[in-house]
Amino acid sequence: AQSVTQLGSHVSVSEGALVLLRCNYSSSVPPYLFWYVQYPNQGLQLLLKYTSAATLVKGINGFEAEFKKSETSFHLTKPSAHMSDAAEYFCAVSDGSYDKVIFGPGTSLSVIP
Amino acid sequence: DADVTQTPRNRITKTGKRIMLECSQTKGHDRMYWYRQDPGLGLRLIYYSFDVKDINKGEISDGYSVSRQAQAKFSLSLESAIPNQTALYFCATSDPASSDTQYFGPGTRLTVL
């Protein structure tokens, strides 16, 4: 069965610092991988996704993630944090069978002025 | 206008009451989903539907039922609400042509007293 782990339920960074949110997955087949962001009182929205094209995926708001098959990881990064990046971030995996998507537990990002 | 809408946005009810949460979408997607979100647990799938005649249980369907009234409408019911069903509920849609990307509604915050 597929699963997703996100190391760190809460991450705090200073404004302007590097953002690194970790995601590891387990999947028996080449996966589709996603990062979603949830701002307060809103639903989730897609940040970026990997679908077996380029391993480095660029998303909205300056975020990017790199698919590393050998490490079964899909970590999310942003070079310079902005106050508006404070939100909950969810990593998700699908096996591409169009069945369902499995979400990780989420990481809450705080940005300190 | 939002592509995926949910009503109500907030609801407080008492143990034993029947509750219906409604979801409508204008994206034209066949696939619709209901999730619940609890702190530290991420999103867990309650039910999903791949078309009007196709309804499937997710990982936590006990205590819930659904109805797919039309391609655009997917309702979630709690026949007899209990306090541990207090959570944030999200409806989502997806299109296989977009690699399982999910589009979420704004959520319904349900409190069962």
Side-chain angles (χ1 to χ4, degrees), chain A residues 34 36 38 49 94 98-99, chain B residues 31 37 98-102:
Chain A
F34 309 82
Y36 287 86
Q38 182 183 25
K49 65 181 177 182
S94 165
Y98 310 126
D99 190 349
Chain B
R31 297 173 182 233
Q37 182 181 17
S98 63
S99 308
D100 293 347
T101 299
Q102 306 223 331

Side-chain angles (χ1 to χ4, degrees), chain A residues 32 34 36 38 41-46 49 51 88 90 94-106, chain B residues 9 31 33 35 37 40-43 45 48 50 59 88 90 96 98-107 109:
Chain A
Y32 292 164
F34 309 82
Y36 287 86
Q38 182 183 25
N41 300 313
Q42 295 185 26
L44 282 71
Q45 57 184 277
L46 183 70
K49 65 181 177 182
T51 59
E88 187 92 18
F90 293 92
S94 165
D95 64 9
S97 67
Y98 310 126
D99 190 349
K100 46 192 179 291
V101 174
I102 306 299
F103 287 84
Chain B
R9 293 294 312 277
R31 297 173 182 233
Y33 308 79
Y35 294 92
Q37 182 181 17
L41 297 179
L43 274 71
L45 184 63
Y48 61 106
F50 284 177
E59 59 180 301
L88 191 53
F90 287 103
S98 63
S99 308
D100 293 347
T101 299
Q102 306 223 331
Y103 301 88
F104 286 83
R109 186 168 297 280

Side-chain angles (χ1 to χ4, degrees), chain B residues 48-92:
Chain B
Y48 61 106
S49 170
F50 284 177
D51 65 41
V52 175
K53 296 182 180 180
D54 179 76
I55 303 289
N56 304 279
K57 293 183 177 181
E59 59 180 301
I60 55 163
S61 59
D62 287 349
Y64 302 95
S65 62
V66 291
S67 173
R68 185 78 184 268
Q69 301 94 328
Q71 185 202 41
K73 296 184 181 296
F74 192 36
S75 300
L76 176 72
S77 293
L78 288 68
E79 297 300 326
S80 180
I82 56 176
N84 75 3
Q85 291 177 313
T86 293
L88 191 53
Y89 290 85
F90 287 103
C91 175

Side-chain angles (χ1 to χ4, degrees), chain A residues 57-76:
Chain A
V57 181
K58 295 187 183 298
I60 60 173
N61 301 335
F63 284 93
E64 62 182 35
E66 186 173 9
F67 171 64
K68 292 187 176 181
K69 184 178 179 180
S70 61
E71 299 177 6
T72 60
S73 69
F74 191 57
H75 302 331
L76 182 70

